[in-house]
Amino acid sequence: MHGHDEEHHHPRIPQASRIERARVLVVGAGGLGCPASLALAQAGVGHLTLADPDRVDVTNLPRQLWHRPGDVGRNKAESAAAGLARAFPALTTDVVPERVDADNVEGLFRAHDVVIDATDGVATKFFLSDVAVLTGVPLVYGGVLRMQGQAMRVEPGGPCLRCLYEAPPPPDAVPTCAQAGVLGSLAGLVGAVQALLSLELLAGVARRVPGEASLHVLDASSLTGRLTRVRRAEDCAGCLVTQVPPFPEDAGEGGACAR
């Protein structure tokens, strides 16, 4: 835990005091979580909680900025928190060196103002979306597969991830990170967009249309982006969640690469 000067205000960010008081949970400290946490810290967010059960691998080093060669074998959340502490001494951090699952997810969500989904398992993403609906704590979904990235806020009264995709595909229907590959710079861009979507909420400047959300789609092959309106689906099971769902048995298999 690292101290935070309550009187310091970021000189360039509007609503700095609101952002400084914010608590953000970043689930995943890999390809999405590293750039997202960097952008949040740069903007002056006062507290970050990093959750990840995995350990740093040598293949992570070229594209996950908080992890250094000496961190290989170390828990990723601990390594990322140490990197953040080096770069931002005023930031406070908590570390959850275990998976976010049905046993701890509700308490973690309710202890934060915004949650960033920086995971790499498709089923886990649906699980986190369901918990966002249950708790009313906004979630910022993000994912990367091959040359495309996506990001969207899941907010109270708006569409959830199941409104967009209905249900996760079977594990063998989506290639794993090793099979599909992941462009590190695209993951960095998506993580930064997730941070921006979070900061809009924290600063109170996010524009909302009841029952709608904006899906940001980023195409690395053409260097273009597009905005798609997502509407809340009728009779969506995810929008009707009343208790913490079971943690998916196939969590971590395939999907949007963040590792």
Side-chain angles (χ1 to χ4, degrees):
M1 184 75 72
H2 305 278
H4 180 64
D5 181 359
E6 292 293 336
E7 299 303 318
H8 175 74
H9 295 292
H10 197 288
R12 296 181 298 278
I13 305 295
Q15 294 88 27
S17 61
R18 291 183 60 168
I19 291 173
E20 285 179 357
R21 293 192 297 269
R23 294 174 55 87
V24 179
L25 169 64
V26 183
V27 185
L32 295 174
C34 285
S37 60
L38 170 62
L40 291 168
Q42 286 176 326
V45 168
H47 177 88
L48 295 178
T49 297
L50 299 153
D52 200 314
D54 293 343
R55 296 192 176 275
V56 178
D57 185 84
V58 67
T59 59
N60 302 145
L61 301 181
R63 59 187 177 85
Q64 299 179 16
L65 74 160
W66 296 131
H67 310 313
R68 304 187 299 187
D71 294 318
V72 171
R74 187 180 187 183
N75 173 265
K76 277 192 172 184
E78 293 177 353
S79 175
L84 282 160
R86 290 191 300 269
F88 302 95
L91 176 72
T92 67
T93 59
D94 283 334
V95 170
V96 180
E98 58 193 43
R99 74 181 189 181
V100 175
D101 59 20
D103 293 329
N104 60 11
V105 67
E106 184 173 4
L108 284 170
F109 265 63
R110 294 190 187 281
H112 294 85
D113 300 299
V114 178
V115 178
I116 289 187
D117 166 18
T119 66
D120 64 348
V122 177
T124 301
K125 293 180 176 300
F126 281 79
F127 171 77
L128 295 176
S129 174
D130 291 345
V131 178
V133 172
L134 173 68
T135 60
V137 178
L139 173 76
V140 183
Y141 153 74
V144 177
L145 184 61
R146 294 192 177 93
M147 299 294 285
Q148 186 183 95
Q150 297 184 345
M152 185 182 82
R153 282 195 299 253
V154 176
E155 300 178 72
C160 72
L161 202 56
R162 294 184 191 276
C163 293
L164 180 61
Y165 292 118
E166 293 186 7
D172 58 358
V174 181
T176 66
C177 294
Q179 292 168 335
V182 58
L183 185 64
S185 56
L186 179 58
L189 179 59
V190 171
V193 169
Q194 288 181 278
L196 288 171
L197 293 176
S198 302
L199 290 165
E200 283 184 345
L201 276 180
L202 297 173
V205 297
R207 291 178 294 177
R208 295 186 59 189
V209 176
E212 288 190 2
S214 297
L215 175 69
H216 299 262
V217 181
L218 309 170
D219 187 339
S221 61
S222 60
L223 292 180
T224 59
R226 69 178 187 272
L227 199 64
T228 299
R229 291 291 177 189
V230 180
R231 291 178 173 80
R232 187 167 179 174
E234 293 185 15
D235 301 321
C236 170
C239 291
L240 302 175
V241 171
T242 58
Q243 60 185 8
V244 175
F247 187 74
E249 293 299 323
D250 58 348
E253 294 298 324
C257 300
R259 285 334 199 206

